[in-house]
Amino acid sequence: MKLRNSLLLLITATIWGTAFVAQSVGMDYVGPMTYVCARSIIGMIVLLPVIAVLNRVGPPRAAETPEERRKGRKTLVIGGVCCGTVLCIASCTQQLTLLHTTVGKAGFMTACYILVVPLIGLLFGRRCGLKHWCSVAIALAGLYFLCMTGGGFSLDLGTLLGLCCAFLFSCHILVIDYFSTRVDGVKMSCIQFLVCGLLSGIAMLFAEQPQLSAVLLAWKPIAYAGIMSCGVGYTLQIVGQKGMDPTIASLILSLESCISVLAGWLLLGQTLSMREGLGCVAMFAAIILAQLPAKES
């Protein structure tokens, strides 16, 4: 089960890493709120037939009393609303970050959730061992070498938005950690996209001037992000995080930054410097260290 969940999260990181370009290209045509709204609605639509098929071919459900079914539906809706609200704020913040800083710096600051997740976990009594903290430190160093190739930090709007983004995605990971063992992951993912699409749509109407022609021009990056990043990626995240330590989950998901660089090198012929290669090696080493079984006392 642990290996399966790790593979699902690795697939998620791969999808997100390749979708990062789509996020940037999409905003050449539409605003950040419009982009988040469109891709979220597509993600929800993609999951509707999946849910219908799973309801038909899935294993028979255990007998439940009407009260148990009512509580189950209530928990599902609450989980979807909570995940969707946090995802909406985090996604919009990430899109705004891309408008004010480089892709590399945005990727590095967003992936700092690998440090924020265990720190927040300490507030709720979830302790991490020395092995996990060492993995986090190695991964942070790898992310720095991988993403921060154009200079250091400066306290500007892009940096502040990026750090806020790291905190918000940390909250999203922890909310999923809480609800994923209590509800159907695919259904909760569908609800979260509905909520995310509605909230970002409201923000879009107030903050932007959406035009159908612009959305149609950006249909390729929006469709890829909606189908793959949302419909497939975030659903696999919910399923893969079920029963997984959120610190380890955040480490695996942070590979999206590493995979985006490798994809550019392998598929687009972009140059991979020695510094970026070192960053990739460090991140993979951190993931392997985190997955090593602990010694039995």
Side-chain angles (χ1 to χ4, degrees):
M1 181 67 71
K2 181 180 178 181
L3 177 61
R4 189 206 70 168
N5 289 2
S6 297
L7 289 174
L8 290 178
L9 293 178
L10 179 58
I11 294 172
T12 301
T14 303
I15 293 172
W16 287 352
T18 54
F20 214 82
V21 175
Q23 291 180 240
S24 180
V25 172
M27 287 195 299
D28 290 340
Y29 305 95
V30 297
M33 313 300 176
T34 303
Y35 181 85
V36 173
C37 176
R39 79 171 194 175
S40 298
I41 296 301
I42 291 175
M44 179 201 68
I45 294 173
V46 167
L47 289 182
L48 290 177
V50 175
I51 293 173
V53 171
L54 291 178
N55 285 338
R56 283 179 171 270
V57 303
R61 297 171 60 181
E64 293 179 330
T65 64
E67 180 65 18
E68 289 174 335
R69 285 195 295 270
R70 186 186 67 81
K71 288 184 177 179
R73 287 194 296 267
K74 181 180 179 181
T75 302
L76 175 64
V77 171
I78 292 175
V81 171
C82 291
C83 289
T85 301
V86 178
L87 178 62
C88 175
I89 301 172
S91 297
C92 291
T93 304
Q94 186 178 61
Q95 294 302 123
L96 290 171
T97 302
L98 288 169
L99 294 176
H100 296 282
T101 190
T102 63
V103 171
K105 288 183 180 180
F108 172 71
M109 289 182 289
T110 298
C112 282
Y113 58 65
I114 62 176
L115 177 60
V116 180
V117 166
L119 289 177
I120 296 178
L122 289 176
L123 299 177
F124 296 95
R126 187 187 289 271
R127 297 181 179 274
C128 294
L130 178 61
K131 179 184 69 173
H132 291 164
W133 284 112
C134 289
S135 299
V136 169
I138 295 172
L140 276 174
L143 278 168
Y144 185 87
F145 286 126
L146 182 67
C147 300
M148 300 296 289
T149 57
F153 282 111
S154 59
L155 192 59
D156 54 15
L157 181 58
T159 301
L160 293 175
L161 287 172
L163 295 176
C164 289
C165 191
F167 174 77
L168 291 167
F169 275 111
S170 300
C171 293
H172 187 246
I173 290 173
L174 293 172
V175 171
I176 289 176
D177 176 64
Y178 179 81
F179 284 104
S180 61
T181 57
R182 294 169 167 82
V183 298
D184 184 294
V186 180
K187 292 180 180 178
M188 187 173 77
S189 184
C190 186
I191 295 174
Q192 93 165 336
F193 292 135
L194 173 61
V195 173
C196 183
L198 290 175
L199 293 178
S200 56
I202 294 172
M204 171 189 71
L205 294 176
F206 281 97
E208 299 173 359
Q209 296 178 337
Q211 295 180 346
L212 180 59
S213 59
V215 174
L216 294 176
L217 287 173
W219 75 269
K220 287 184 180 179
I222 289 176
Y224 181 82
I227 296 172
M228 297 302 297
S229 182
C230 290
V232 179
Y234 280 106
T235 303
L236 290 182
Q237 179 196 7
I238 292 175
V239 176
Q241 263 195 244
K242 189 173 184 177
M244 172 81 71
D245 186 301
T247 300
I248 296 179
S250 66
L251 280 168
I252 298 175
L253 292 173
S254 69
L255 282 173
E256 64 177 300
S257 298
C258 182
I259 291 169
S260 65
V261 174
L262 291 175
W265 174 50
L266 292 172
L267 302 177
L268 303 178
Q270 296 176 348
T271 303
L272 184 66
S273 67
M274 183 68 71
R275 178 190 178 95
E276 291 170 324
L278 178 62
C280 292
V281 171
M283 290 193 66
F284 279 115
I287 303 302
I288 293 173
L289 175 61
Q291 294 292 319
L292 291 177
K295 293 183 178 180
E296 296 183 1
S297 56

